[in-house]
Amino acid sequence: MIGFIRIAFCLFLFFTAQPVLAAPPATGDTIPELILPVPFDPAGQEMLGLQGKSTFTLADLDAELIFIEIIGVYCPQCVKQSPGFKTLFNRLGKGKLKGRVAMFGLAAGGTDAEVKQLLTTGQYLFPVLSDPDYVAHKVLGEPLTPYTIVCRPDGTVVYDHLGVVQDIDALYQLIKTLLD
């Protein structure tokens, strides 16, 4: 059944022909409307406030900023990146920042089974969406992984980074400043 839903979703995206970026989104760019599948796990759906939906757009998220980490399920640099983002996730979930940033990962080429396995490792505290046919990855200009995007719900990119973010504190301070 899940396979049928995935195929139907991919066909839906194919026939609706989403605009795609020629290159990964950079700070100041606007991400075209991105139709994403909800996380397959109920905890991920609840974390993003997407219960009862099958797809969503960035504008559907009840947050002031959206943090998107584009990963590869077998990407060693993504594994190296994950402890820092666990720390960032925990810091953003406290005090006056709590609930103001929606965080999720997008597993470029990752199937539900691969993402499910990835989540059992505890590597990610935030939801990770599967993108087995690279549909969303193509819309985002096919960035290498890990690629980090922070944007507004209207798709305006306020931060982008290719590779491992070395200074998590600086990224946290930037997000905090953007929310002030």
Side-chain angles (χ1 to χ4, degrees):
M1 182 66 175
I2 292 175
F4 174 75
I5 293 170
R6 288 279 172 205
I7 290 170
F9 178 72
C10 290
L11 289 173
F12 169 77
L13 293 178
F14 177 78
F15 288 113
T16 57
Q18 296 183 77
V20 298
L21 295 173
T27 301
D29 289 349
T30 301
I31 296 173
E33 184 173 64
L34 190 59
I35 301 170
L36 298 163
V38 299
F40 60 85
D41 62 315
Q45 293 171 16
E46 184 176 341
M47 198 175 292
L48 294 176
L50 299 171
Q51 305 93 324
K53 294 185 174 201
S54 59
T55 62
F56 72 101
T57 66
L58 300 178
D60 292 330
L61 298 173
D62 186 22
E64 296 170 55
L65 291 175
I66 300 163
F67 177 99
I68 307 169
E69 178 67 357
I70 301 169
I71 63 168
V73 292
Y74 302 108
C75 164
Q77 294 300 311
C78 301
V79 172
K80 185 177 177 183
Q81 175 73 78
S82 65
F85 283 169
K86 287 170 78 173
T87 300
L88 180 65
F89 176 83
N90 286 326
R91 290 179 76 183
L92 293 174
K94 295 179 181 174
K96 69 177 189 173
L97 300 181
K98 185 176 181 176
R100 298 176 69 189
V101 180
M103 293 181 75
F104 66 87
L106 178 67
T111 65
D112 283 350
E114 290 170 319
V115 170
K116 187 175 185 178
Q117 175 60 33
L118 180 67
L119 292 175
T120 63
T121 66
Q123 190 175 328
Y124 294 96
L125 298 178
F126 47 83
V128 177
L129 313 177
S130 58
D131 186 23
D133 298 315
Y134 297 93
V135 174
H137 185 254
K138 287 177 184 168
V139 171
L140 292 171
E142 302 184 65
L144 299 175
T145 59
Y147 195 81
T148 306
I149 301 167
V150 179
C151 64
R152 304 264 182 213
D154 68 358
T156 304
V157 177
V158 294
Y159 174 86
D160 72 285
H161 183 83
L162 172 62
V164 175
V165 175
Q166 299 294 330
D167 193 343
I168 295 296
D169 288 335
L171 179 55
Y172 171 77
Q173 289 302 323
L174 172 68
I175 291 170
K176 190 175 172 188
T177 300
L178 290 167
L179 293 172
D180 284 340

